[in-house]
Structures are given as structure tokens and as C-alpha cells.
Amino acid sequence: MNANIPLFKVHMSENSIKRVNEVLMSGFIGQGKVVEEFEQELGIFFETDRIITTNSATSAEHLVLHLLKKESLNIGDEILTTPLTCTATNWPILANGFKIKWVDVDTETLNMDLDDLTRKITPKTKAIVVVHWGGYPVDLHKLKRIQAASMKKYGFAPIIIEDCSHAFGSSYYGKKIGSDSDNIKFFSFQAIKHLTSGDGGALVLPNYMQDMHERAKKSRWYGIDRESPRRDFRCEPDIEEWGFKFHMNDINAAIGVENLKHVQGLINRHVENAAYYDEHLQGVDGVRLLKRQQEHQSSYWIYSLKVESRDEFQKMMADKGIMTSQVHQRNDQHSCVSEYRTLLPNLDSIINNIISIPVGWWVTDEQREHIVKSIKEGW
């Protein structure tokens, strides 16, 4: 088979072209009615009305960490986080003046090792940032117990922030990741995600954070209350709390609205392809699959596994026309965070074995068979 199978591919609804053109020709392309429409549709998907769209997931995280500084966090506080993620997860922590404390990874899921998290919580720990690697949900029940134990021991429960950038459409015990819980969540709508708006993100807040929701709506656009009446539509009478230019615009929202109509079908195909790999790669020499639990349903933004001699594996797959990648480099080895380095034996033991193979909606039955055959025969 003459294969050329990409690891990522941009999905774009055909109707998005028409919808974007309508926005472009309307004379209004900033944050307006289409952004509101996108937020309403996302609210239906997640069954919540605490949705704040932004121009990226990074902005969503930066925004909420900034707002928390005036409520429960202070500059210099310690945030526990995973080093196995995109740097976009961790740089907002630094940008807001907090200190990083690295937590090791679970070698079976590539998510945060919650036992190591338990050991590393101290009275200085004010927040925990977790990532649902590849879309596979972190054990949120155990995380809740850890949070409660911290309250009992230290009189303070760290705020839990879920980076759901991989996990659009994933579910935990039958409930969508991002639906109502006591945790703060943020999503990415960057180009190659399940749902893309060209670029963009969203902050999803718990129902009890009504005040935070109102502050975030203002702070994503300089702190301006865009819903308040004004004598001059260009001039705001007062800004109580300064903010950023983190808002989404109607162009991106138009893409998002149209792509959202197709996203469940895309996710279903990711899941089908992953199930095929789970079945046909089980027991292959030199290949170790990640852990699966029925209650943790991944949307499989990526399909990661562990292989021996990864460089040789990648070369073999490339020769077969199959793109592969580690996807994210460990963040703790960058020189800009050298002061936070610590021993992470689990991550050390697997970092050179992690690889991802194509799993997306574009992978045909014939192509996934070719991928499995290439691994079995070439490995």
C-alpha cells in the first residue's frame, strides 16, 4: 500500500466557508452575536451556562489564574502540575507569578501520578493543574479525595484546574469532561483539535463561580462591561478591574459553530480507530498499550503507546508512509524552568518510549489495517 497517513489533520465543515463569508461581509467581525451563539451551543454540549470563549486555551488558563490571584492565590504560591504536556499548560503558571512543582506521571496512562501528587502536597500548595493525556480522563474521584484530605490536614483544599485540551468529547463515569463539577476547566479549539474554530479556547467554570464568570467575561476584553449601557458606544465610563485582549471574534466563532455540528461524528471515528488498535496491537512484542478503564472514556485526540527503540520505530513507520510523534516534550527539562527540576523516576523510565500513531477521523479502515500490519511485521 502506498500510504501517506498524517498524524493530524484539520477538519473544516463545508458550511463554515459560507458562514465565515457572512461574517466577513457583515461589517462586524469582532466579538459579537456569533460568539454568543457559539457559547450557547457549547453550553448545550456541556450542559452548563458557565462558558467563556477566548482566543486560545492558553489565554483561558492565563485569565483564570490571573483572576484567582484576587481571590485565593497569591504571587509566589505553589502550583502542582505535570511536566508531560504542551508548554501552553505550564507557562501561564509562570506568567502569573506562581511557582511550579512538578508531579511525576503514571506510566500506565501518561496522566499525573496521583500517588506522587499526594506526597507532594504541602501547606504551600494552592492549586493543581491536571491534563487528560490524549483525552483519557484523570481519576477525578481520587483527585477529589486528595483535595478533601488536604483540607483535613492543612485546612485548605487546593483548587483543581483541568486542562481539557486533548479531551473534547471524553467522558468520566458517563458524564462529559467539562460538564458541571467543582473544578475549573479549559479547552482548546486550535487547528488540529477535535473541534477547531481556526484558533480559540474556552473557560468552563463551576456553577458556584458566578462572580468569577462575570469577572472573566469582562477581563477577557480589557475589563470592559460590553453589556452595560453607554452614552458613547466607544467610550466606557469606568473600568473596575483591568483585563486583557483574550476574547474570541465572530470569524473564529462562525467556524466553531459549524464544526460543532459535526464533532460527535469525528469523535466516534477516533474512538472506533482506537478500539481497533486496542484489539489488534495487544500482545505485540516491543509494544505496550496504555491502561484502559471502562468508566474513563477517551475521545482519543491522540493514540499513544510505548515502544522499544523509538527512533527505529519512527523510521520504520516513516518508510511505510505513516507519520508518528511523541507529540509533547517534557516541560521540566527546558532551561527556563531549571530552578524547579526534581527527580521524576516514572517519567524518566518512559519518556524515550512514548509515541503516537494516527487515530483520527481521516484514518480509513484500509489505512488502520496498514498501520497495524506495519507494526506487527516491522516490529
Side-chain angles (χ1 to χ4, degrees), residues 175-329:
K175 197 166 186 178
K176 284 189 181 77
I177 292 294
S179 57
D180 184 47
S181 72
D182 292 336
N183 302 338
I184 295 168
K185 289 82 62 175
F186 63 91
F187 287 83
S188 171
F189 306 136
Q190 182 262 350
I192 56 175
K193 294 301 192 293
H194 288 104
L195 173 63
T196 181
S197 58
D199 208 349
L203 179 62
V204 185
L205 296 170
N207 283 338
Y208 73 89
M209 288 189 170
Q210 172 63 31
D211 181 61
M212 177 75 78
H213 182 258
E214 294 304 316
R215 290 175 65 208
K217 283 175 65 177
K218 297 175 185 178
S219 294
R220 68 175 166 178
W221 196 323
Y222 305 123
I224 297 172
D225 184 353
R226 293 170 53 80
E227 299 173 0
S228 65
R230 305 183 197 176
R231 185 173 57 188
D232 184 328
F233 81 102
R234 286 287 300 172
C235 301
E236 50 284 341
D238 183 45
I239 295 176
E240 296 177 352
E241 182 178 8
W242 61 266
F244 308 88
K245 197 177 194 302
F246 285 169
H247 63 88
M248 180 176 282
N249 61 54
D250 276 3
I251 299 170
N252 290 121
I255 297 171
V257 167
E258 295 304 322
N259 281 339
L260 184 58
K261 297 174 183 178
H262 302 272
V263 73
Q264 192 58 58
L266 304 183
I267 291 168
N268 291 345
R269 183 59 184 178
H270 282 246
V271 173
E272 290 170 9
N273 285 335
Y276 182 86
Y277 295 147
D278 284 349
E279 178 182 357
H280 293 278
L281 292 177
Q282 188 70 41
V284 175
D285 288 343
V287 174
R288 290 173 290 165
L289 304 185
L290 299 185
K291 181 180 178 181
R292 309 277 188 248
Q293 286 183 269
Q294 186 175 358
E295 299 84 0
H296 301 235
Q297 180 56 60
S298 177
S299 56
Y300 294 99
W301 177 60
I302 53 175
Y303 185 95
S304 295
L305 41 80
K306 294 173 286 185
V307 297
E308 297 174 5
S309 305
R310 185 179 61 198
D311 290 347
E312 294 179 20
F313 180 89
Q314 284 195 272
K315 184 180 184 306
M316 179 272 293
M317 295 291 272
D319 289 343
K320 298 288 186 177
I322 304 164
M323 184 181 294
T324 61
S325 173
Q326 181 179 311
V327 180
H328 293 312
Q329 179 58 280

Side-chain angles (χ1 to χ4, degrees), residues 22 45 129 135 152 181 186 318 324 330 336 340 353 358 366 369:
E22 290 174 356
F45 186 87
V129 177
K152 184 176 181 179
S181 72
F186 63 91
T324 61
R330 58 188 296 174
C336 61
Y340 303 114
N353 305 112
E366 183 183 17
E369 290 170 10

Side-chain angles (χ1 to χ4, degrees), residues 20-31:
V20 167
N21 187 63
E22 290 174 356
V23 172
L24 292 174
M25 302 309 294
S26 71
F28 190 101
I29 61 175
Q31 180 190 323

Side-chain angles (χ1 to χ4, degrees), residues 34-254:
V34 188
V35 170
E36 293 177 9
E37 179 186 355
F38 189 33
E39 290 179 343
Q40 289 167 3
E41 293 299 323
L42 288 170
I44 293 170
F45 186 87
F46 290 120
E47 300 179 346
T48 180
D49 59 0
R50 295 286 182 267
I51 304 282
I52 304 290
T53 54
T54 56
N55 56 18
S56 71
T58 309
S59 294
E61 183 187 10
H62 187 113
L63 178 62
V64 77
L65 288 173
H66 168 78
L67 295 176
L68 286 169
K69 279 190 285 191
K70 293 193 174 182
E71 292 194 356
S72 53
L73 275 65
N74 296 297
I75 291 176
D77 281 345
E78 182 180 88
I79 295 182
L80 299 185
T81 185
T82 174
L84 188 58
T85 180
C86 178
T87 53
T89 303
N90 290 315
W91 288 183
I93 297 173
L94 302 176
N96 278 282
F98 303 121
K99 294 182 178 180
I100 284 175
K101 189 172 186 179
W102 301 116
V103 180
D104 213 342
V105 302
D106 182 338
T107 60
E108 297 301 311
T109 65
L110 306 186
N111 284 333
M112 181 181 283
D113 180 345
L114 298 186
D115 292 330
D116 192 46
L117 172 68
T118 301
R119 291 188 291 268
K120 289 179 174 175
I121 291 178
T122 72
K124 298 178 181 179
T125 304
K126 297 301 175 64
I128 300 164
V129 177
V130 296
V131 174
H132 305 292
W133 178 271
Y136 188 81
V138 171
D139 188 338
L140 295 173
H141 290 157
K142 185 171 182 178
L143 195 58
K144 194 71 176 175
R145 292 194 297 270
I146 292 170
Q147 191 182 38
S150 176
M151 172 62 81
K152 184 176 181 179
K153 186 173 183 179
Y154 300 117
F156 180 85
I159 295 165
I160 296 172
I161 301 173
E162 299 175 41
D163 181 344
C164 308
S165 297
H166 294 190
F168 193 95
S170 296
S171 63
Y172 182 74
Y173 283 83
K175 197 166 186 178
K176 284 189 181 77
I177 292 294
S179 57
D180 184 47
S181 72
D182 292 336
N183 302 338
I184 295 168
K185 289 82 62 175
F186 63 91
F187 287 83
S188 171
F189 306 136
Q190 182 262 350
I192 56 175
K193 294 301 192 293
H194 288 104
L195 173 63
T196 181
S197 58
D199 208 349
L203 179 62
V204 185
L205 296 170
N207 283 338
Y208 73 89
M209 288 189 170
Q210 172 63 31
D211 181 61
M212 177 75 78
H213 182 258
E214 294 304 316
R215 290 175 65 208
K217 283 175 65 177
K218 297 175 185 178
S219 294
R220 68 175 166 178
W221 196 323
Y222 305 123
I224 297 172
D225 184 353
R226 293 170 53 80
E227 299 173 0
S228 65
R230 305 183 197 176
R231 185 173 57 188
D232 184 328
F233 81 102
R234 286 287 300 172
C235 301
E236 50 284 341
D238 183 45
I239 295 176
E240 296 177 352
E241 182 178 8
W242 61 266
F244 308 88
K245 197 177 194 302
F246 285 169
H247 63 88
M248 180 176 282
N249 61 54
D250 276 3
I251 299 170
N252 290 121

